[in-house]
Tab-separated table of all heavy atoms in Angstrom:
chain	number	residue	atom	x	y	z
A	28	SER	N	-15.800	28.600	29.672
A	28	SER	CA	-15.513	27.222	30.039
A	28	SER	C	-16.070	26.250	28.996
A	28	SER	O	-15.544	25.173	28.791
A	28	SER	CB	-16.124	26.904	31.400
A	28	SER	OG	-17.537	27.034	31.344
A	29	ALA	N	-17.127	26.628	28.237
A	29	ALA	CA	-17.688	25.749	27.213
A	29	ALA	C	-16.717	25.545	26.068
A	29	ALA	O	-16.582	24.441	25.527
A	29	ALA	CB	-19.012	26.311	26.696
A	30	ALA	N	-16.021	26.581	25.644
A	30	ALA	CA	-15.051	26.470	24.571
A	30	ALA	C	-13.873	25.624	24.989
A	30	ALA	O	-13.320	24.885	24.205
A	30	ALA	CB	-14.595	27.859	24.141
A	31	ALA	N	-13.488	25.688	26.242
A	31	ALA	CA	-12.347	24.938	26.723
A	31	ALA	C	-12.647	23.467	26.843
A	31	ALA	O	-11.789	22.637	26.636
A	31	ALA	CB	-11.881	25.474	28.078
A	32	VAL	N	-13.928	23.120	27.161
A	32	VAL	CA	-14.287	21.709	27.345
A	32	VAL	C	-14.332	20.986	26.002
A	32	VAL	O	-13.853	19.859	25.872
A	32	VAL	CB	-15.648	21.612	28.052
A	32	VAL	CG1	-16.164	20.185	28.050
A	32	VAL	CG2	-15.529	22.141	29.453
A	33	THR	N	-14.891	21.593	24.977
A	33	THR	CA	-15.054	20.905	23.693
A	33	THR	C	-13.884	21.085	22.759
A	33	THR	O	-13.754	20.367	21.795
A	33	THR	CB	-16.328	21.413	23.002
A	33	THR	OG1	-16.190	22.820	22.816
A	33	THR	CG2	-17.547	21.086	23.811
A	34	SER	N	-13.031	21.985	22.948
A	34	SER	CA	-12.006	22.347	21.995
A	34	SER	C	-11.041	21.204	21.643
A	34	SER	O	-10.905	20.909	20.461
A	34	SER	CB	-11.259	23.566	22.527
A	34	SER	OG	-10.177	23.863	21.708
A	35	PRO	N	-10.361	20.519	22.537
A	35	PRO	CA	-9.410	19.507	22.124
A	35	PRO	C	-10.062	18.303	21.431
A	35	PRO	O	-9.536	17.811	20.429
A	35	PRO	CB	-8.710	19.057	23.397
A	35	PRO	CG	-9.083	20.021	24.455
A	35	PRO	CD	-10.263	20.750	23.988
A	36	GLU	N	-11.173	17.841	21.879
A	36	GLU	CA	-11.858	16.718	21.276
A	36	GLU	C	-12.375	17.073	19.887
A	36	GLU	O	-12.269	16.317	18.938
A	36	GLU	CB	-13.005	16.241	22.155
A	36	GLU	CG	-12.564	15.644	23.456
A	36	GLU	CD	-13.752	15.358	24.386
A	36	GLU	OE1	-14.888	15.654	24.001
A	36	GLU	OE2	-13.517	14.810	25.457
A	37	LEU	N	-12.969	18.262	19.825
A	37	LEU	CA	-13.540	18.696	18.552
A	37	LEU	C	-12.451	18.935	17.509
A	37	LEU	O	-12.634	18.633	16.322
A	37	LEU	CB	-14.380	19.965	18.731
A	37	LEU	CG	-15.701	19.782	19.429
A	37	LEU	CD1	-16.396	21.117	19.593
A	37	LEU	CD2	-16.580	18.827	18.680
A	38	VAL	N	-11.324	19.432	17.905
A	38	VAL	CA	-10.240	19.689	16.961
A	38	VAL	C	-9.758	18.351	16.399
A	38	VAL	O	-9.519	18.224	15.199
A	38	VAL	CB	-9.102	20.463	17.636
A	38	VAL	CG1	-7.843	20.497	16.757
A	38	VAL	CG2	-9.530	21.892	17.960
A	39	GLN	N	-9.623	17.324	17.231
A	39	GLN	CA	-9.210	15.995	16.763
A	39	GLN	C	-10.232	15.424	15.793
A	39	GLN	O	-9.871	14.893	14.747
A	39	GLN	CB	-9.030	15.043	17.956
A	39	GLN	CG	-7.700	15.177	18.647
A	39	GLN	CD	-7.590	14.121	19.748
A	39	GLN	OE1	-8.577	13.600	20.257
A	39	GLN	NE2	-6.340	13.834	20.116
A	40	GLN	N	-11.491	15.531	16.174
A	40	GLN	CA	-12.556	14.996	15.324
A	40	GLN	C	-12.610	15.741	13.974
A	40	GLN	O	-12.761	15.146	12.922
A	40	GLN	CB	-13.922	15.070	16.025
A	40	GLN	CG	-14.069	14.112	17.152
A	40	GLN	CD	-15.401	14.286	17.876
A	40	GLN	OE1	-16.219	15.106	17.480
A	40	GLN	NE2	-15.597	13.523	18.943
A	41	LEU	N	-12.475	17.057	14.057
A	41	LEU	CA	-12.509	17.868	12.866
A	41	LEU	C	-11.329	17.548	11.944
A	41	LEU	O	-11.476	17.437	10.716
A	41	LEU	CB	-12.511	19.344	13.233
A	41	LEU	CG	-12.716	20.325	12.090
A	41	LEU	CD1	-14.043	20.061	11.401
A	41	LEU	CD2	-12.662	21.743	12.597
A	42	ASP	N	-10.117	17.342	12.518
A	42	ASP	CA	-8.965	16.967	11.728
A	42	ASP	C	-9.167	15.592	11.058
A	42	ASP	O	-8.842	15.411	9.878
A	42	ASP	CB	-7.692	16.921	12.589
A	42	ASP	CG	-7.189	18.318	12.941
A	42	ASP	OD1	-7.619	19.286	12.270
A	42	ASP	OD2	-6.376	18.423	13.879
A	43	ALA	N	-9.737	14.650	11.807
A	43	ALA	CA	-9.972	13.322	11.266
A	43	ALA	C	-10.981	13.382	10.112
A	43	ALA	O	-10.807	12.751	9.080
A	43	ALA	CB	-10.460	12.386	12.359
A	44	MET	N	-12.038	14.166	10.303
A	44	MET	CA	-13.040	14.291	9.250
A	44	MET	C	-12.463	14.977	8.019
A	44	MET	O	-12.747	14.590	6.880
A	44	MET	CB	-14.258	15.076	9.773
A	44	MET	CG	-15.142	14.307	10.672
A	44	MET	SD	-16.507	15.374	11.050
A	44	MET	CE	-17.351	14.355	12.211
A	45	THR	N	-11.674	15.979	8.191
A	45	THR	CA	-11.035	16.672	7.086
A	45	THR	C	-10.159	15.727	6.287
A	45	THR	O	-10.163	15.712	5.063
A	45	THR	CB	-10.234	17.865	7.586
A	45	THR	OG1	-11.064	18.705	8.369
A	45	THR	CG2	-9.634	18.672	6.446
A	46	HIS	N	-9.392	14.916	7.045
A	46	HIS	CA	-8.517	13.918	6.406
A	46	HIS	C	-9.362	12.908	5.620
A	46	HIS	O	-9.034	12.556	4.486
A	46	HIS	CB	-7.674	13.229	7.470
A	46	HIS	CG	-6.701	12.242	6.900
A	46	HIS	ND1	-5.629	12.625	6.116
A	46	HIS	CD2	-6.648	10.885	6.980
A	46	HIS	CE1	-4.974	11.550	5.760
A	46	HIS	NE2	-5.550	10.462	6.281
A	47	ASP	N	-10.463	12.449	6.207
A	47	ASP	CA	-11.347	11.478	5.541
A	47	ASP	C	-11.957	12.075	4.274
A	47	ASP	O	-12.052	11.425	3.241
A	47	ASP	CB	-12.462	11.007	6.481
A	47	ASP	CG	-11.943	10.055	7.551
A	47	ASP	OD1	-10.810	9.553	7.404
A	47	ASP	OD2	-12.686	9.822	8.541
A	48	VAL	N	-12.398	13.318	4.346
A	48	VAL	CA	-12.983	13.977	3.170
A	48	VAL	C	-11.951	14.108	2.058
A	48	VAL	O	-12.231	13.886	0.876
A	48	VAL	CB	-13.584	15.352	3.561
A	48	VAL	CG1	-13.929	16.170	2.338
A	48	VAL	CG2	-14.793	15.164	4.451
A	49	ALA	N	-10.700	14.445	2.431
A	49	ALA	CA	-9.614	14.569	1.436
A	49	ALA	C	-9.349	13.204	0.779
A	49	ALA	O	-9.152	13.130	-0.448
A	49	ALA	CB	-8.350	15.123	2.083
A	50	ASP	N	-9.350	12.138	1.604
A	50	ASP	CA	-9.162	10.802	1.046
A	50	ASP	C	-10.280	10.448	0.095
A	50	ASP	O	-10.038	9.895	-0.985
A	50	ASP	CB	-9.089	9.747	2.159
A	50	ASP	CG	-7.742	9.712	2.846
A	50	ASP	OD1	-6.787	10.298	2.318
A	50	ASP	OD2	-7.672	9.115	3.941
A	51	MET	N	-11.523	10.734	0.468
A	51	MET	CA	-12.658	10.435	-0.397
A	51	MET	C	-12.571	11.190	-1.698
A	51	MET	O	-12.818	10.640	-2.787
A	51	MET	CB	-13.978	10.801	0.315
A	51	MET	CG	-14.319	9.879	1.410
A	51	MET	SD	-15.127	8.492	0.747
A	51	MET	CE	-16.448	8.348	1.905
A	52	ARG	N	-12.229	12.474	-1.650
A	52	ARG	CA	-12.098	13.296	-2.844
A	52	ARG	C	-11.010	12.706	-3.746
A	52	ARG	O	-11.198	12.606	-4.965
A	52	ARG	CB	-11.760	14.732	-2.472
A	52	ARG	CG	-11.689	15.642	-3.684
A	52	ARG	CD	-11.484	17.094	-3.307
A	52	ARG	NE	-12.661	17.578	-2.606
A	52	ARG	CZ	-12.619	18.486	-1.642
A	52	ARG	NH1	-11.484	18.992	-1.237
A	52	ARG	NH2	-13.744	18.895	-1.064
A	53	ASN	N	-9.882	12.293	-3.160
A	53	ASN	CA	-8.804	11.684	-3.936
A	53	ASN	C	-9.269	10.409	-4.604
A	53	ASN	O	-8.979	10.170	-5.784
A	53	ASN	CB	-7.615	11.439	-3.009
A	53	ASN	CG	-6.364	11.065	-3.799
A	53	ASN	OD1	-6.299	11.258	-5.006
A	53	ASN	ND2	-5.378	10.536	-3.092
A	54	ARG	N	-10.010	9.558	-3.885
A	54	ARG	CA	-10.517	8.317	-4.452
A	54	ARG	C	-11.496	8.589	-5.602
A	54	ARG	O	-11.494	7.863	-6.602
A	54	ARG	CB	-11.172	7.456	-3.383
A	54	ARG	CG	-10.167	6.856	-2.423
A	54	ARG	CD	-10.854	5.953	-1.449
A	54	ARG	NE	-9.922	5.575	-0.418
A	54	ARG	CZ	-10.240	5.389	0.856
A	54	ARG	NH1	-11.483	5.558	1.261
A	54	ARG	NH2	-9.338	5.040	1.736
A	55	VAL	N	-12.357	9.563	-5.425
A	55	VAL	CA	-13.335	9.893	-6.478
A	55	VAL	C	-12.589	10.387	-7.722
A	55	VAL	O	-12.930	9.991	-8.835
A	55	VAL	CB	-14.332	10.970	-5.978
A	55	VAL	CG1	-15.124	11.562	-7.128
A	55	VAL	CG2	-15.261	10.376	-4.935
A	56	GLU	N	-11.550	11.178	-7.553
A	56	GLU	CA	-10.775	11.638	-8.711
A	56	GLU	C	-10.073	10.490	-9.404
A	56	GLU	O	-10.032	10.421	-10.627
A	56	GLU	CB	-9.758	12.709	-8.264
A	56	GLU	CG	-10.402	14.032	-7.870
A	56	GLU	CD	-9.415	15.021	-7.272
A	56	GLU	OE1	-8.213	14.651	-7.087
A	56	GLU	OE2	-9.833	16.135	-6.958
A	57	GLN	N	-9.514	9.547	-8.608
A	57	GLN	CA	-8.865	8.375	-9.196
A	57	GLN	C	-9.877	7.513	-9.969
A	57	GLN	O	-9.594	7.022	-11.045
A	57	GLN	CB	-8.173	7.556	-8.111
A	57	GLN	CG	-6.924	8.178	-7.551
A	57	GLN	CD	-6.330	7.366	-6.419
A	57	GLN	OE1	-6.919	6.380	-5.954
A	57	GLN	NE2	-5.170	7.775	-5.951
A	58	PHE	N	-11.056	7.338	-9.374
A	58	PHE	CA	-12.113	6.554	-10.021
A	58	PHE	C	-12.552	7.196	-11.336
A	58	PHE	O	-12.692	6.525	-12.355
A	58	PHE	CB	-13.312	6.414	-9.080
A	58	PHE	CG	-14.428	5.587	-9.641
A	58	PHE	CD1	-14.296	4.218	-9.770
A	58	PHE	CD2	-15.600	6.194	-10.069
A	58	PHE	CE1	-15.327	3.461	-10.292
A	58	PHE	CE2	-16.630	5.454	-10.604
A	58	PHE	CZ	-16.498	4.063	-10.711
A	59	ALA	N	-12.706	8.507	-11.321
A	59	ALA	CA	-13.089	9.220	-12.544
A	59	ALA	C	-12.008	9.095	-13.610
A	59	ALA	O	-12.294	8.892	-14.798
A	59	ALA	CB	-13.367	10.705	-12.229
A	60	ALA	N	-10.737	9.154	-13.185
A	60	ALA	CA	-9.634	9.008	-14.165
A	60	ALA	C	-9.631	7.591	-14.754
A	60	ALA	O	-9.408	7.409	-15.936
A	60	ALA	CB	-8.300	9.314	-13.473
A	61	LYS	N	-9.887	6.582	-13.906
A	61	LYS	CA	-9.950	5.199	-14.404
A	61	LYS	C	-11.112	5.006	-15.372
A	61	LYS	O	-10.984	4.329	-16.390
A	61	LYS	CB	-10.092	4.210	-13.240
A	61	LYS	CG	-8.800	3.986	-12.487
A	61	LYS	CD	-8.976	2.949	-11.403
A	61	LYS	CE	-7.706	2.770	-10.612
A	61	LYS	NZ	-7.861	1.798	-9.517
A	62	GLN	N	-12.247	5.626	-15.069
A	62	GLN	CA	-13.392	5.523	-15.963
A	62	GLN	C	-13.094	6.160	-17.310
A	62	GLN	O	-13.442	5.640	-18.373
A	62	GLN	CB	-14.639	6.206	-15.343
A	62	GLN	CG	-15.389	5.328	-14.384
A	62	GLN	CD	-16.666	6.000	-13.927
A	62	GLN	OE1	-16.721	7.212	-13.774
A	62	GLN	NE2	-17.682	5.201	-13.699
A	63	GLU	N	-12.437	7.311	-17.279
A	63	GLU	CA	-12.082	8.006	-18.527
A	63	GLU	C	-11.109	7.150	-19.337
A	63	GLU	O	-11.267	6.995	-20.560
A	63	GLU	CB	-11.456	9.361	-18.211
A	63	GLU	CG	-11.127	10.177	-19.439
A	63	GLU	CD	-10.578	11.551	-19.100
A	63	GLU	OE1	-10.760	12.020	-17.973
A	63	GLU	OE2	-9.927	12.123	-19.984
A	64	GLN	N	-10.103	6.563	-18.670
A	64	GLN	CA	-9.139	5.699	-19.366
A	64	GLN	C	-9.842	4.480	-19.941
A	64	GLN	O	-9.579	4.066	-21.086
A	64	GLN	CB	-8.017	5.265	-18.399
A	64	GLN	CG	-6.958	4.431	-19.076
A	64	GLN	CD	-6.197	5.173	-20.141
A	64	GLN	OE1	-5.912	6.340	-20.005
A	64	GLN	NE2	-5.891	4.490	-21.216
A	65	THR	N	-10.778	3.892	-19.200
A	65	THR	CA	-11.508	2.735	-19.693
A	65	THR	C	-12.330	3.104	-20.910
A	65	THR	O	-12.388	2.362	-21.883
A	65	THR	CB	-12.424	2.152	-18.579
A	65	THR	OG1	-11.610	1.809	-17.460
A	65	THR	CG2	-13.177	0.933	-19.060
A	66	GLY	N	-12.960	4.269	-20.879
A	66	GLY	CA	-13.737	4.748	-22.040
A	66	GLY	C	-12.867	4.918	-23.245
A	66	GLY	O	-13.236	4.553	-24.369
A	67	GLN	N	-11.653	5.468	-23.062
A	67	GLN	CA	-10.734	5.630	-24.181
A	67	GLN	C	-10.296	4.276	-24.735
A	67	GLN	O	-10.179	4.093	-25.933
A	67	GLN	CB	-9.514	6.463	-23.756
A	67	GLN	CG	-9.835	7.908	-23.499
A	67	GLN	CD	-8.638	8.666	-22.911
A	67	GLN	OE1	-7.623	8.092	-22.586
A	67	GLN	NE2	-8.795	9.986	-22.770
A	68	ASN	N	-10.045	3.326	-23.810
A	68	ASN	CA	-9.659	1.975	-24.262
A	68	ASN	C	-10.758	1.339	-25.066
A	68	ASN	O	-10.505	0.680	-26.080
A	68	ASN	CB	-9.287	1.091	-23.058
A	68	ASN	CG	-7.990	1.512	-22.402
A	68	ASN	OD1	-7.222	2.281	-22.956
A	68	ASN	ND2	-7.729	1.021	-21.206
A	69	ILE	N	-11.997	1.490	-24.614
A	69	ILE	CA	-13.127	0.902	-25.330
A	69	ILE	C	-13.272	1.527	-26.715
A	69	ILE	O	-13.476	0.836	-27.709
A	69	ILE	CB	-14.439	1.077	-24.512
A	69	ILE	CG1	-14.387	0.151	-23.293
A	69	ILE	CG2	-15.661	0.780	-25.360
A	69	ILE	CD1	-15.515	0.365	-22.308
A	70	GLU	N	-13.111	2.853	-26.811
A	70	GLU	CA	-13.195	3.523	-28.096
A	70	GLU	C	-12.083	3.029	-29.057
A	70	GLU	O	-12.327	2.806	-30.241
A	70	GLU	CB	-13.077	5.035	-27.922
A	70	GLU	CG	-14.296	5.660	-27.291
A	70	GLU	CD	-14.116	7.144	-26.998
A	70	GLU	OE1	-13.035	7.695	-27.322
A	70	GLU	OE2	-15.043	7.739	-26.451
A	71	THR	N	-10.880	2.833	-28.495
A	71	THR	CA	-9.786	2.341	-29.317
A	71	THR	C	-10.073	0.931	-29.817
A	71	THR	O	-9.858	0.628	-30.983
A	71	THR	CB	-8.472	2.340	-28.491
A	71	THR	OG1	-8.226	3.670	-28.021
A	71	THR	CG2	-7.296	1.867	-29.335
A	72	LEU	N	-10.568	0.056	-28.939
A	72	LEU	CA	-10.896	-1.306	-29.337
A	72	LEU	C	-12.004	-1.324	-30.368
A	72	LEU	O	-11.968	-2.120	-31.332
A	72	LEU	CB	-11.310	-2.126	-28.115
A	72	LEU	CG	-10.172	-2.483	-27.147
A	72	LEU	CD1	-10.731	-3.181	-25.903
A	72	LEU	CD2	-9.157	-3.360	-27.823
């Protein structure tokens, strides 16, 4: 009965957290790419 009580709520929370972590990882990668591009622009200038 313990697995049945927590299962639907926990699955929703776990899915939301997984989605948030994926978004954060994507943002960090975009930020790193922008920093690299900015560094290249500075070197060119």
